């Protein structure tokens, strides 16, 4: 994965208020740490950072140039997003050096097509591996081509590029191939679903009827609440 050059500015405002002002200015609050260095608070350009993550993934390597003259390499360690706005709230960046080994979580993609009339169940979407900080793969691949029902793809079946070593348990399941339900099995479940829906509707009707009990008839005054003396 090639590194992305990105500029940054030192941050002097902290706390929720400072972070909000940073985001309103079109920047992402971030902190650089690692190698025994004192954490450095910076602000990254939001658009450039988002574009790099969309293209390179969560393990994108950044060559960061801070306006105070600091130049470092860093990998995202933790990214906080706003689930509604789909924006970046905060980023923790881990300082790395060329040739240094790092442990990261890398997404796994399944390739090929399993046998006919099967379903694929994803057990784990990422694998923990170690790799050169400047050569972290953006994804790993495991083939399910022609896999029959009952086949289980484990971490050991995932293809690892040269220089990448598996950290996760080799027997950890990544995906399972199961038999797809037949038309007869699907039809057999329909009556159960219909009965469940009818029971749910009946319960709602009973609750509605109970709620209406004790309601004054039209034209009749509602009973007065008992008065208490002060």
């Amino acid at each position: 994965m090639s590194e992305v050059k990105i500029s940054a500015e030192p941050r002097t405002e902290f706390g929720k208020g400072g972070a909000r002002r940073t985001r309103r200015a079109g920047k992402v609050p971030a902190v650089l740490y690692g190698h025994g260095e004192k954490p450095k608070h910076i602000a990254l350009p939001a658009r450039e950072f988002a574009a790099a993550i969309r293209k390179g993934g969560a393990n994108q390597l950044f060559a960061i140039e801070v306006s105070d003259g600091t130049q470092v390499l860093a990998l995202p360690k933790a990214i906080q997003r706003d689930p509604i706005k789909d924006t970046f709230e905060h980023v923790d960046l881990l300082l790395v050096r060329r040739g240094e080994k790092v442990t990261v979580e890398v997404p796994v993609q399944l390739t090929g097509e399993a046998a006919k009339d099967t379903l694929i169940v994803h057990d784990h979407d990422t694998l923990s591996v170690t790799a050169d900080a400047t050569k972290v793969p953006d994804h790993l691949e495991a083939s399910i081509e022609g896999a029959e029902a009952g086949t289980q793809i484990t971490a050991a079946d995932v293809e690892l590029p040269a220089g990448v070593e598996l950290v996760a348990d080799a027997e950890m399941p990544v995906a399972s191939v199961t038999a797809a339900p037949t038309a007869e099995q699907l039809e057999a479940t329909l009556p159960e679903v219909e009965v469940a829906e009818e029971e749910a509707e009946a319960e709602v009707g009973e609750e509605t009827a109970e709620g209406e009990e004790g309601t004054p008839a039209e034209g009749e005054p509602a009973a007065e609440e008992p008065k208490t003396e002060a």
Side-chain angles (χ1 to χ4, degrees):
M1 182 184 297
S2 60
E3 62 195 59
V4 170
K5 292 184 178 181
I6 192 169
S7 59
E9 298 176 357
R11 247 187 332 128
T12 56
E13 287 189 302
F14 309 106
K16 293 183 178 180
R20 281 196 295 268
R21 284 187 285 274
T22 298
R23 288 190 287 268
R24 281 200 294 267
K27 301 182 184 299
V28 181
V31 60
L32 283 167
Y33 68 96
H35 294 160
E37 299 286 338
K38 182 179 179 181
K40 188 179 186 69
H41 298 271
I42 60 174
L44 302 168
R47 286 188 178 180
E48 292 178 30
F49 180 78
I53 293 298
R54 280 196 299 269
K55 182 178 180 180
N59 291 319
Q60 174 63 59
L61 178 66
F62 287 94
I64 302 174
E65 297 183 0
V66 188
S67 58
D68 63 4
T70 304
Q71 295 184 357
V72 296
L73 288 176
L75 285 168
K77 189 65 175 179
I79 299 177
Q80 297 177 21
R81 294 175 183 257
D82 184 310
I84 298 176
K85 299 178 182 178
D86 193 27
T87 54
F88 296 97
E89 295 284 284
H90 189 274
V91 183
D92 288 351
L93 294 160
L94 180 66
L95 294 170
V96 296
R97 300 188 181 99
R98 298 188 188 281
E100 178 183 6
K101 289 280 189 178
V102 293
T103 300
V104 292
E105 290 286 330
V106 180
V108 178
Q109 294 181 5
L110 302 179
T111 62
E113 294 186 4
K116 187 178 179 182
D117 298 326
T118 59
L119 292 176
I120 310 302
V121 179
H122 293 262
D123 298 300
H124 288 89
D125 296 325
T126 63
L127 278 185
S128 180
V129 300
T130 58
D132 186 309
T134 61
K135 298 178 181 178
V136 176
D138 58 357
H139 73 280
L140 302 171
E141 295 183 352
S143 175
I144 57 170
E145 182 64 36
E148 299 286 346
T151 302
Q152 187 174 66
I153 308 299
T154 66
D157 298 317
V158 177
E159 300 172 15
L160 298 179
V164 177
E165 298 178 0
L166 184 66
V167 173
D169 184 348
E171 296 183 0
M172 185 181 79
V174 173
S176 303
V177 183
T178 63
T182 63
E184 290 77 11
Q185 289 173 328
L186 289 174
E187 290 177 0
T189 61
L190 288 178
E192 296 178 4
V193 174
E194 292 175 352
V195 169
E197 290 178 349
E198 291 175 357
E199 290 177 350
E201 290 176 359
E203 289 179 1
V204 171
E206 290 176 0
E207 291 176 358
T208 302
E210 290 176 0
E212 292 175 349
E213 287 182 6
T215 302
E218 188 175 352
E220 292 183 3
E224 295 183 1
E225 295 185 1
K227 296 180 180 180
T228 59
E229 294 181 0

